[in-house]
Amino acid sequence: MVWAGRAALGRAHLLALGAPGHGTSTLLRSIALQALPHGDLVVVDGASTGEHACLVNRPGVHTVETSLHGALAALEWCAQETSAGWSR
């Protein structure tokens, strides 16, 4: 999942699905790197493959999560950011 922050609340979101080995992770990494200057990113690597490690500790990346606990915390942060953005 790639989440764009406050500046992009009015923009469309992206869900990318694909079979293993068909480039979905590469597509998402490419989009994430292009989106960094425009908002905050949260990445959830559900397969825990480490394919998104290149995004860890980059400015604009809130978190890269590989665990269920971390993913839930990241999604809670997204929900708080969304509701804060709508109330402003």
Side-chain angles (χ1 to χ4, degrees):
M1 180 178 106
V2 178
W3 179 268
R6 288 181 217 139
L9 283 175
R11 296 183 186 163
H13 293 85
L14 170 70
L15 174 64
L17 303 171
H22 284 87
T24 310
S25 293
T26 301
L27 170 69
L28 289 176
R29 275 192 309 276
S30 174
I31 292 169
L33 289 169
Q34 292 175 46
L36 278 176
H38 307 290
D40 299 318
L41 298 177
V42 170
V43 179
V44 176
D45 178 4
S48 299
T49 60
E51 291 186 33
H52 303 289
C54 65
L55 298 170
V56 174
N57 295 324
R58 284 185 180 251
V61 177
H62 178 72
T63 189
V64 176
E65 294 296 340
T66 57
S67 69
L68 177 59
H69 178 74
L72 292 174
L75 292 174
E76 184 176 316
W77 178 83
C78 290
Q80 290 172 354
E81 286 294 301
T82 301
S83 54
W86 287 114
S87 64
R88 290 184 193 144

